[in-house]
Amino acid sequence: MKPSLLALLWHNARAARARAYVRVVSTLRELSWLPFEVVLPVMAAAAYVYLYRALDAPPRYAGFVLLGSAMTAYWLNVLWSMATQFYWEKQEGQLELFFLAPISRMAILAGMALGGMFMASTRAIGTLALGAWLFHVPLGGGHPWLALGTFLLTLVALYGLGMVLASVFMMYGRDAFNLVNLLQDPIYLASGFYFPVRALGRAVAFAAAAIPLTLGLDAMRQLLFGGEPLALWTPGVEMAALALLAVAYLFLAYVALTAMENLAKREGRLTVKWQ
Amino acid sequence: MADGHTAGPAIEARSLRRVFQERRRGRVVKEHVALDGIDLEVRPGECFGLLGANGAGKTTLIKILCTLLLPTSGEARVLGMDVQREPAAIRRRINMVSGGEHSGYGILTVRESLWLFSQLYGLSNAEAFQRIDRLLKMVDLDGSVRVNKLSTGMRQKMNFARGFLNEPDVLFLDEPTLGLDVQTARRLRSFVREWVEERRKTVLLTTHYMMEADEICDRVAIISGGRILACDTPANLKRGLRQERVVRLELAGGAVAEAAAGVTRGDAAGGAARGGTGGAADVLRRAVQDVPGVRRVTLSALDGRVSARVHVESDGVLVQLVSTIAELGFDLHGLEKQDPTLEDVFLALTGRRLDDEGGAVGR
């Protein structure tokens, strides 16, 4: 008998929770990451904070930098723990067990994304707390609730992009790793992790807006640290654009996943390791 | 719709064919026919064995039946449902365990890892943990151990338990006892047998361990080169060879040490000695093979001794056989008449031993 829609949704939600659980456990069970993944972003931010201070930039620039530095955790997580994850799951023989199970593949990706958000959030919060204490950055000003909403919207769009990349990368295997490397540092620059992105010019910033962090960071900076003549658009426009990106990326992820599964079943890429 | 408890077959394949293509720059440069027109029917409540060497097509067939791979042509149905058109419905009622798989995340404990997989099948936590504890007891595995601390055998026990979590109507076991010690393998085999009998579940088992297939399978199909060469009960398959006599000769003395070394070297090189290397082992094999009435001979070596398993047309051949061995300078330490085994059936059908392609002989 075919299960009801509600039963299917509940079943897939449980599957997503189970996949997310792996990342929650790995965050809490082995804390060796803590000194490296919190301290290193703070050190990267420190260089920019002291540079801005030396140039007599407004004090809120320290907040800009710290926020960008904290958000690197999400970008790294999307690249290395979302985009490449299906590829590793395939190599481990785990992917075929997920495909064998009576669940939507989107549930697995959603679980990976939720777990990844938790994992990256622990790093981001650590970086923010340590950086705010070291550089005396006030974090409670502006519109914190709106900033939180923008942050959540940014994460949905960003992890939607990660879901698209996961399917694409699985099909192209090891070659995709070069692309991941290529996407890491250049995006720090293009998305304005350490400076207002409009400094790159509107054309570059517009192109970089395809990465949700670009818009998310720009909007959150405005909402937390006040009006900014170098802002790309108003927070309202940026939030609307983020919502569109979120829908587009989630839809694309579904299409890419279906196409990937069909291709894999046709060509044997999912299960036949020698191919 | 047919299901595991109706009269329809639990698994059915008709003219099933699967061709893998190797492409370079978008062009097909090589084709590999993995399945070449498979016809198969497995009854509900049956433990069915697929016996074949590595590369025979066993795993490809299982992947198609598990809805993980599409056939190039032909038709396959599981519990009456088409693998191409109704994969979601099939997945709710099947499971698969592969030998040597590395499922599970190292950071989780065995119990947590099995819980993760139980959630993919929609089990409630209470039901999941009840089944997990029962299965862990059955495979004799400590659930509190982290997956990254498991030995190969322990990991395979965990995989085995995973396959039974959702109480599937059809369970696909692809070389499930690979890497397990003899005692554990025996325990798991008897669990599978009981599970099939008590719950009327269906199992499709692929193996290249002859004894495994002989011990637990109701029927066995022998597959080679993507084709099914024979399909019957193990007893009937062996009965087909009853017109042959099988004798096992234990040899000593003379050039036996050299022959044993030759057999061992040949085994290591993928059976080269059986193909002929010109050494003492090869001279022995050829001489025995040339005795009129001898159909096949296989040599094996253990602890510096040589054992020859010879298929002969009648008992009358034995006199000439013994005299030939003596002429070669070997002492006959023992002679034992044996019943044909599935290994003999495989040899008779395919012309080669099951371990000729890198597999292992039955334990």
Side-chain angles (χ1 to χ4, degrees):
Chain A
M1 196 175 69
K2 205 175 172 183
S4 67
L5 181 64
L6 199 64
L8 272 178
L9 284 173
W10 181 239
H11 179 177
N12 281 288
R14 293 180 75 100
R17 182 188 62 159
R19 183 61 188 84
Y21 177 76
V22 182
R23 293 194 163 173
V24 174
V25 164
S26 63
T27 303
L28 302 177
R29 201 164 276 173
E30 283 183 355
L31 295 172
S32 52
W33 57 269
L34 201 66
F36 306 101
E37 298 196 22
V38 169
V39 173
L40 290 179
V42 171
M43 286 175 72
Y48 289 90
V49 168
Y50 292 123
L51 181 70
Y52 286 135
R53 283 182 183 169
L55 294 173
D56 272 338
R60 62 172 178 265
Y61 272 59
F64 283 17
V65 171
L66 190 59
L67 194 61
S69 202
M71 294 301 280
T72 57
Y74 295 100
W75 183 237
L76 289 177
N77 190 262
V78 161
L79 282 184
W80 294 108
S81 298
M82 282 295 293
T84 59
Q85 191 64 30
F86 261 7
Y87 174 77
W88 287 121
E89 305 262 16
K90 176 186 165 189
Q91 294 303 103
E92 292 288 309
Q94 202 118 266
L95 192 65
E96 70 176 26
L97 296 179
F98 289 144
F99 278 62
L100 180 72
I103 45 163
S104 162
R105 288 77 184 98
M106 287 296 276
I108 294 299
L109 280 176
M112 276 163 49
L114 288 170
M117 285 178 201
F118 176 82
M119 193 181 243
S121 292
T122 56
R123 288 143 174 80
I125 290 168
T127 302
L128 269 182
L130 183 64
W133 176 70
L134 274 179
F135 310 129
H136 310 291
V137 177
L139 288 174
H143 306 279
W145 292 110
L146 268 178
L148 181 66
T150 310
F151 168 73
L152 294 176
L153 208 50
T154 307
L155 287 196
V156 175
L158 182 65
Y159 279 84
L161 173 65
M163 288 170 154
V164 178
L165 293 176
S167 301
V168 174
F169 281 31
M170 205 216 82
M171 296 314 294
Y172 294 100
R174 296 197 72 83
D175 294 342
F177 282 85
N178 299 326
L179 190 60
V180 170
N181 277 321
L182 187 72
L183 282 174
Q184 191 173 307
D185 290 297
I187 295 300
Y188 291 168
L189 175 71
S191 289
F193 276 68
Y194 300 109
F195 56 88
V197 72
R198 199 177 149 186
L200 294 172
R202 275 193 182 274
V204 175
F206 185 77
I211 308 290
L213 278 172
T214 311
L215 295 175
L217 264 176
D218 202 57
M220 282 190 287
R221 280 169 174 160
Q222 293 180 67
L223 290 165
L224 282 176
F225 303 108
E228 172 52 55
L230 276 175
L232 196 54
W233 291 303
T234 62
V237 171
E238 287 176 333
M239 284 173 80
L242 278 172
L244 280 176
L245 280 179
V247 172
Y249 282 140
L250 288 173
F251 175 72
L252 269 178
Y254 177 76
V255 171
L257 200 51
T258 308
M260 182 271 286
E261 185 181 358
N262 289 339
L263 186 65
K265 281 171 73 174
R266 209 166 49 242
E267 297 190 357
R269 294 196 201 185
L270 180 64
T271 57
V272 187
K273 287 182 186 168
W274 54 266
Q275 280 209 312
Chain B
M1 188 191 347
D3 66 30
H5 303 280
T6 61
I11 298 168
E12 198 178 359
R14 296 270 169 264
S15 310
L16 202 63
R17 194 175 150 81
R18 173 72 214 198
V19 181
F20 289 106
Q21 294 179 330
E22 196 182 322
R23 291 169 183 269
R24 267 185 217 143
R25 291 179 193 148
R27 290 180 58 195
V28 178
V29 291
K30 201 174 164 188
E31 285 200 334
H32 169 67
V33 180
L35 296 179
D36 193 8
I38 296 281
D39 288 302
L40 187 73
E41 233 180 68
V42 179
R43 299 165 198 139
E46 187 173 38
C47 184
F48 188 92
L50 264 182
L51 206 53
N54 293 337
K58 307 186 297 285
T59 300
T60 301
L61 178 58
I62 279 207
K63 302 280 156 131
I64 289 175
L65 295 170
C66 284
T67 75
L68 295 173
L69 190 65
L70 292 175
T72 306
S73 62
E75 193 188 354
R77 304 178 83 82
V78 175
L79 297 162
M81 295 172 281
D82 189 292
V83 294
Q84 295 188 70
R85 283 190 284 273
E86 299 163 278
I90 291 174
R91 286 168 186 166
R92 280 195 279 275
R93 298 175 62 189
I94 64 167
N95 210 331
M96 175 184 72
V97 177
S98 299
E101 73 179 47
H102 285 86
S103 62
Y105 297 92
I107 193 81
L108 300 184
T109 64
V110 170
R111 204 160 181 264
E112 287 171 331
S113 195
L114 290 173
W115 170 80
L116 186 156
F117 285 106
S118 76
Q119 297 309 288
L120 306 185
Y121 291 90
L123 300 187
S124 70
N125 283 347
E127 193 180 7
F129 284 121
Q130 193 186 7
R131 285 188 193 180
I132 289 166
D133 291 340
R134 182 174 56 84
L135 288 165
L136 285 177
K137 200 171 164 193
M138 187 278 294
V139 296
D140 190 23
L141 189 60
D142 180 0
S144 65
V145 180
R146 275 205 204 173
V147 171
N148 59 9
K149 304 274 186 230
L150 296 178
S151 66
T152 308
M154 288 159 87
R155 196 155 194 154
Q156 189 52 18
K157 284 182 183 181
M158 183 185 77
N159 296 335
F160 201 82
R162 182 192 52 70
F164 291 87
L165 273 174
N166 63 321
E167 285 283 336
D169 289 323
V170 178
L171 179 63
F172 296 93
L173 297 173
D174 190 10
E175 310 274 4
T177 56
L178 206 68
L180 291 180
D181 59 85
V182 175
Q183 214 168 9
T184 309
R186 191 176 297 145
R187 191 172 175 167
L188 297 185
R189 281 198 290 266
S190 79
F191 176 80
V192 171
R193 193 60 245 178
E194 280 168 27
W195 187 74
V196 167
E197 279 168 10
E198 286 171 11
R199 304 179 187 220
R200 265 189 63 75
K201 303 285 190 179
T202 307
V203 167
L204 179 64
L205 166 86
T206 76
T207 183
H208 55 232
Y209 296 138
M210 301 289 179
M211 208 190 84
E212 189 161 272
D214 210 350
E215 192 180 318
I216 65 169
C217 292
D218 298 305
R219 285 190 304 146
V220 168
I222 291 179
I223 183 168
S224 178
R227 291 173 182 216
I228 289 181
L229 304 180
C231 177
D232 210 330
T233 63
N236 280 348
L237 286 171
K238 288 183 277 189
R239 202 168 293 134
L241 290 184
R242 281 278 154 79
Q243 69 275 26
E244 286 188 2
R245 304 281 189 276
V246 182
V247 287
R248 190 165 146 270
L249 308 169
E250 285 283 336
L251 306 181
V256 80
E258 194 194 335
V263 172
T264 306
R265 269 197 311 275
D267 280 348
R274 291 185 293 274
T277 57
D282 194 43
V283 171
L284 172 64
R285 189 191 62 79
R286 282 171 191 274
V288 173
Q289 184 73 68
D290 288 345
V291 172
V294 168
R295 287 188 172 163
R296 284 179 302 282
V297 57
T298 48
L299 300 180
S300 56
L302 186 67
D303 298 333
R305 301 176 75 176
V306 171
S307 168
R309 196 169 156 81
V310 189
H311 295 242
V312 295
E313 281 169 5
S314 66
D315 290 346
V317 179
L318 293 181
V319 178
Q320 176 67 45
L321 188 60
V322 170
S323 129
T324 301
I325 284 168
E327 281 168 22
L328 288 170
F330 291 100
D331 294 334
L332 189 58
H333 254 222
L335 187 153
E336 184 190 2
K337 282 177 75 173
Q338 294 186 326
D339 286 331
T341 64
L342 280 179
E343 170 85 36
D344 299 317
V345 177
F346 188 86
L347 188 64
L349 287 167
T350 64
R352 60 177 187 267
R353 281 162 55 124
L354 196 49
D355 61 346
D356 276 356
E357 291 174 52
V361 195
R363 294 174 297 174

